[in-house]
Amino acid sequence: MPARGRPQLAPAEEALTPAPVLREDLALGHRAAQAGPDELVDNRLIRGDNLAVLRALEPEFAGRVQCVYIDPPYNTGQVFAHYDDGLEHGRWLALMRERLVVLRRLLTDSGTLFVHIDDNELAYLITVADEVFGRANRIAVITFKQSSVSGPKAVNAGFVSTASFIVVYARQRGAWRAGRVHAATARDARYSRWIDNIDDSPERWRLVPLRQAFARASGLDLRSLRGGALEAELEAFVLDSPHRVVRTARIAARDVGEPARQVLARSAAEPGVVLRAERPGREDMYFLGGEQLIFYSAKVREVDGRRVTAQALSTIWDDLLPNNLHKEGGVEFSHGKKPELLLKRCLDVATAPGDLVLDCFAGSGTTAAVAHKMRRRWLAVELGPHAETHCLPRLRAVIDGDDPSGATAATGWRGGGGFRFFRLAAPPGPDAG
C-alpha cells in the first residue's frame, strides 16, 4: 500500500441505504501559490470508508480511471501501529471482492489494476480477482524484493521471507496498453573490449582489453582497487562511453539479410578486421572474425533519472530495495509504506501524463504523491485519521515543492498543482427529510 490505516475493509451496507454523499472541506484543500491555468488542481483526497466512497465516485468516474494501485491489509493477523491487519479469512475475501467489483467499473477499458499483497492471501486473492476481472485479463504476478536476509529474522531456521507480490490485471486485455519500461541491472562483464581509435574507419579499429583502457584513462593501478570500489569505477567508465565497449556474439547467416550475409562471410576470412555492413534506413551491422560485434550502448537507458545498464522489465523487481524509506514524504509510517520509485514504476507501465490514478487504501499518501510528481491526476481514499495527519502534510509539501525525497529527482518535480479534500457525509438519521 503506500502505508495503510486500517480497517479499511468495513462491511457493505447494500440494502436500501441512501447513496453515499461526499462533502468538500474547503479549509483543507490546497493549491500552489502560482498554479497556472493548465496545472492539475482537481485531485481529490477523501476521508471515509473506501467502499462507500467508491460508490459515491462511480456516477462521475465510471470508465475514467486509467490505473488503480491498492495495497490492502495483508490479513496477517498482526496488529500494527496504524491498523489492525486481522480479519476472518472468508470475510476478508468477501470484502475484497466487493471493492474489486466497483474498481473494475471505474477503470477504462485500457486500464490497469495493481494489487499489492504478501503470500498470506496471495493465492486466494488471485482466485477472487480472476472471478471479477476474468482470468484472461490477469497480466502478471510480480515478485517485489522488499527486504534483505538480515536482522533477527535471518537467525531462525527455515525460509526468510523477503518478498511481497503485485498482481496485475487489465480491465480488458485486448484494449490494454503498457509503456515500455526498463529496470537497472548489473554491468554486463561479457563486454570486455574497448575500441581504442573510435574515430577511424571500422577496418582500422584496434580492440584492447577494457580493463587496460580503463587503467590507462584513469591513471589507476587496478591492484589498488578491490571488489565494489573497482566495479563502481569501471561501471562509470563504461557508462561514460558505451559506444566504445564491445563484445562479439555468434550469429547465423540465415538471420541477416543478403548484403550483411556477404560481409559476415568476408569477416570470417579476415579474422582481425572489423567489417561494417551498411543498411540504409536501419542501423549498420559490424562483424569480426565471423561473429557480430555488438555495442554496450544498446544496453544503456535512463532509469529513474539515472543513466544505467538496463534490461527490459521482468516480473522480478529486486532493484528497488528501499533506502531511508521511513523519511520519504516527511511522514513516519511503520509496516506499511512502499517506496515511491515502486509506485513510479507501476505508473510508468500503466499511465501517461494527465491520466487518472486511484488508490482507495491511501495510507500515508504515497500513490497520490507519486502520481502528482508524475503529472497524473489522482483520487486517494483513506478511512483513518492519518488522511489528515499524514496525507495532508505530505501532499501539501509535494505541491509546494518542499518534498525532495522519493521520486522527486527521478521525475524532475518542482511543485505545482493542487487538490481538494472531501469527507464521506454521515447518512441521514431516521427522522431526516
Side-chain angles (χ1 to χ4, degrees), residues 66-143:
Q66 189 61 39
C67 177
V68 172
Y69 173 94
I70 58 172
D71 192 357
Y74 292 172
N75 208 28
T76 61
Q78 301 180 62
V79 176
F80 296 114
H82 294 278
Y83 59 92
D84 183 350
D85 197 18
L87 287 172
E88 190 274 324
H89 167 73
R91 181 166 177 258
W92 185 90
L93 285 175
L95 297 174
M96 282 301 304
R97 186 186 187 283
E98 290 173 332
R99 285 146 181 83
L100 291 174
V101 166
V102 185
L103 289 171
R104 183 178 180 275
R105 294 199 293 259
L106 289 168
L107 280 168
T108 66
D109 284 347
S110 61
T112 310
L113 168 74
F114 296 90
V115 186
H116 206 138
I117 198 73
D118 73 357
D119 57 358
N120 192 59
E121 293 282 4
L122 173 64
Y124 305 101
L125 172 69
I126 289 175
T127 300
V128 170
D130 277 358
E131 176 190 344
V132 174
F133 277 78
R135 184 174 180 179
N137 291 314
R138 187 185 343 132
I139 299 296
V141 179
I142 296 162
T143 301

Side-chain angles (χ1 to χ4, degrees), residues 121-429:
E121 293 282 4
L122 173 64
Y124 305 101
L125 172 69
I126 289 175
T127 300
V128 170
D130 277 358
E131 176 190 344
V132 174
F133 277 78
R135 184 174 180 179
N137 291 314
R138 187 185 343 132
I139 299 296
V141 179
I142 296 162
T143 301
F144 169 55
K145 182 179 179 181
Q146 63 182 21
S147 62
S148 57
V149 181
S150 61
K153 62 185 178 183
V155 177
N156 298 329
F159 302 104
V160 179
S161 178
T162 61
S164 57
F165 305 91
I166 304 173
V167 185
V168 186
Y169 285 85
R171 170 66 173 79
Q172 194 175 104
R173 183 184 278 270
W176 186 66
R177 58 178 174 86
R180 183 156 180 79
V181 179
H182 290 81
T185 189
R187 181 180 68 87
D188 190 337
R190 295 175 299 173
Y191 290 75
S192 60
R193 292 201 268 182
W194 171 269
I195 302 173
D196 231 9
N197 52 334
I198 190 71
D199 293 327
D200 289 350
S201 63
E203 293 82 359
R204 302 184 63 184
W205 281 351
R206 294 188 307 274
L207 273 59
V208 302
L210 174 62
R211 288 176 176 244
Q212 176 184 318
F214 167 66
R216 183 178 61 202
S218 64
L220 295 172
D221 181 354
L222 299 189
R223 293 172 297 181
S224 68
L225 293 175
R226 302 283 182 182
L230 173 60
E231 178 54 35
E233 294 280 354
L234 189 54
E235 182 174 31
F237 178 71
V238 169
L239 293 174
D240 188 55
S241 300
H243 62 294
R244 301 180 70 169
V245 181
V246 296
R247 61 172 284 233
T248 57
R250 293 179 181 178
I251 185 170
R254 64 177 179 274
D255 293 333
V256 297
E258 181 55 38
R261 191 178 303 137
Q262 295 176 13
V263 178
L264 174 60
R266 278 180 50 210
S267 77
E270 303 177 46
V273 180
V274 175
L275 299 180
R276 175 171 58 192
E278 297 184 359
R279 302 193 300 170
R282 302 171 65 189
E283 287 190 358
D284 294 343
M285 296 185 75
Y286 297 81
F287 302 100
L288 176 63
E291 295 187 328
Q292 184 181 6
L293 191 70
I294 53 180
F295 296 78
Y296 204 84
S297 50
K299 300 180 71 68
V300 177
R301 297 284 189 282
E302 184 171 299
V303 176
D304 295 334
R306 298 184 302 122
R307 186 175 168 85
V308 297
T309 303
Q311 62 185 6
L313 193 61
S314 75
T315 56
I316 305 295
W317 293 6
D318 58 1
D319 59 313
L320 297 172
L321 196 63
N323 292 317
N324 298 318
L325 177 59
H326 64 286
K327 294 182 178 179
E328 284 194 359
V331 293
E332 295 272 353
F333 213 103
S334 60
H335 300 286
K337 263 188 184 178
K338 295 299 186 292
E340 287 198 5
L341 290 181
L342 171 66
L343 270 297
K344 178 181 180 296
R345 178 168 294 175
C346 293
L347 299 187
D348 277 336
V349 169
T351 67
D355 283 344
L356 182 61
V357 177
L358 167 65
D359 182 354
C360 60
F361 293 91
S364 68
T366 304
T367 302
V370 175
H372 203 97
K373 292 176 184 180
M374 295 178 70
R375 297 162 182 82
R376 275 66 166 164
R377 298 174 297 135
W378 53 266
L379 305 167
V381 184
E382 179 52 53
L383 172 65
H386 42 284
E388 296 172 52
T389 60
H390 289 65
C391 297
L392 271 178
R394 180 176 193 169
L395 294 169
R396 285 171 178 164
V398 171
I399 287 163
D400 294 340
D402 293 334
D403 174 18
S405 66
T408 296
T411 57
W413 179 251
R414 296 184 178 180
F419 66 89
R420 300 160 68 190
F421 188 94
F422 290 79
R423 299 179 192 276
L424 184 65

Side-chain angles (χ1 to χ4, degrees), residues 13-22 51-53 55-56 424-430 432:
E13 298 288 349
E14 293 275 12
L16 301 178
T17 55
V21 175
L22 301 178
L51 184 58
V53 171
R55 289 176 174 151
L424 184 65

